Amino acid sequence: MTLSPAIETKAGRLHTALRDAILSGELAAGSPVDEIGVAQAHGVSRTPVREALRALRSEGLLVPGARRQLHVVDISAEHRQEIATVRTALETAAARVAVTTRTSGDVDGLRTLVLRQRRYARVGDSSAFMAADEEFHRTLAGVAAMPTLDRLLDQLGAFVRLARLGQPTPQRHMMALVREHDALLDLLEEGDGEALAEALGSHIVSTAPRT
């Protein structure tokens, strides 16, 4: 059965609202999420709620628990390691291609992102810093112009953000990341794909949340 446009729109809005709540930590890991509760909280029928929850489950952000009740996914230490491993494989693959597709505009745009990160680090704004960090990595991978890889990173991005929830980012750590990003861009500019991939892989692994 095809849903009406109105229901699809409601489901889309609910999906976005619930996804944002999960990724911000407003809906904590392990929290139960049920159709009736969501429908009452948002003042809608259960049909768009069902569609939104189905989409979140397909993304892996909701998982079935006892009595088939859905819960917000809990990122375990093993899951964090898996996320870092997959992210490293995807981003380093993009890096090897990016050195052959980069333009001066690409490098300038990435340098601007690093400057923004440096400003956030200096004032200790870790939330804005990490948002800019995500943008830096996605933009760097995007230089490779590999749509399939971009889609995979989109899917992985939610788990990267969840893995970081509650992880402190001291100012000294932010400044260290800025220096590493500068070094990565130097390698991109030099066109050394293997060196860039190796440095990027080490960077991702060393900064991945452990617990």
Side-chain angles (χ1 to χ4, degrees):
M1 179 180 71
T2 302
L3 293 175
S4 71
I7 291 177
E8 288 182 343
T9 299
K10 288 179 182 178
R13 288 197 296 265
L14 279 170
H15 172 264
T16 298
L18 292 170
R19 191 176 192 273
D20 288 345
I22 291 170
L23 297 185
S24 69
E26 181 183 343
L27 281 175
S31 298
V33 180
D34 66 276
E35 287 184 21
I36 296 175
V38 173
Q40 292 175 343
H42 291 267
V44 298
S45 70
R46 292 174 65 178
T47 301
V49 173
R50 193 174 299 118
E51 293 302 311
L53 297 186
R54 183 179 294 123
L56 291 167
R57 183 174 177 180
S58 72
E59 293 172 38
L61 296 179
L62 293 180
V63 295
R67 297 182 297 279
R68 301 180 65 184
Q69 187 176 37
L70 293 176
H71 295 261
V72 176
V73 65
D74 191 0
I75 305 296
S76 65
E78 292 77 16
H79 197 179
R80 291 173 195 274
Q81 181 58 52
E82 179 187 0
I83 291 166
T85 299
V86 174
R87 183 184 171 199
T88 299
L90 292 174
E91 290 195 30
T92 55
R96 291 185 176 91
V97 176
V99 297
T100 68
T101 58
R102 77 196 187 289
T103 66
S104 58
D106 291 328
V107 177
D108 289 344
L110 285 160
R111 295 281 186 197
T112 299
L113 283 175
V114 176
L115 286 173
R116 191 194 308 167
Q117 281 192 282
R118 184 174 282 108
R119 288 197 298 270
Y120 293 144
R122 284 172 177 164
V123 298
D125 190 340
S126 61
S127 178
F129 180 92
M130 296 313 295
D133 183 79
E134 289 181 23
E135 186 178 358
F136 172 86
H137 279 271
R138 289 305 312 279
T139 302
L140 176 56
V143 172
M146 301 171 72
T148 301
L149 188 145
D150 280 342
R151 285 194 293 272
L152 292 171
L153 284 173
D154 271 339
Q155 295 170 5
L156 187 65
F159 294 104
V160 172
R161 191 174 302 180
L162 281 176
R164 286 174 165 173
L165 280 179
Q167 296 287 323
T169 312
Q171 189 175 44
R172 66 181 183 280
H173 181 55
M174 289 189 276
M175 293 306 298
L177 289 177
V178 168
R179 290 191 294 272
E180 290 183 20
H181 285 178
D182 274 330
L184 292 173
L185 293 184
D186 288 342
L187 293 171
L188 176 65
E189 214 163 12
E190 292 166 9
D192 192 335
E194 286 305 316
L196 175 58
E198 182 177 352
L200 180 58
S202 297
H203 170 74
I204 293 171
V205 169
S206 67
T207 58
R210 294 290 192 273
T211 59

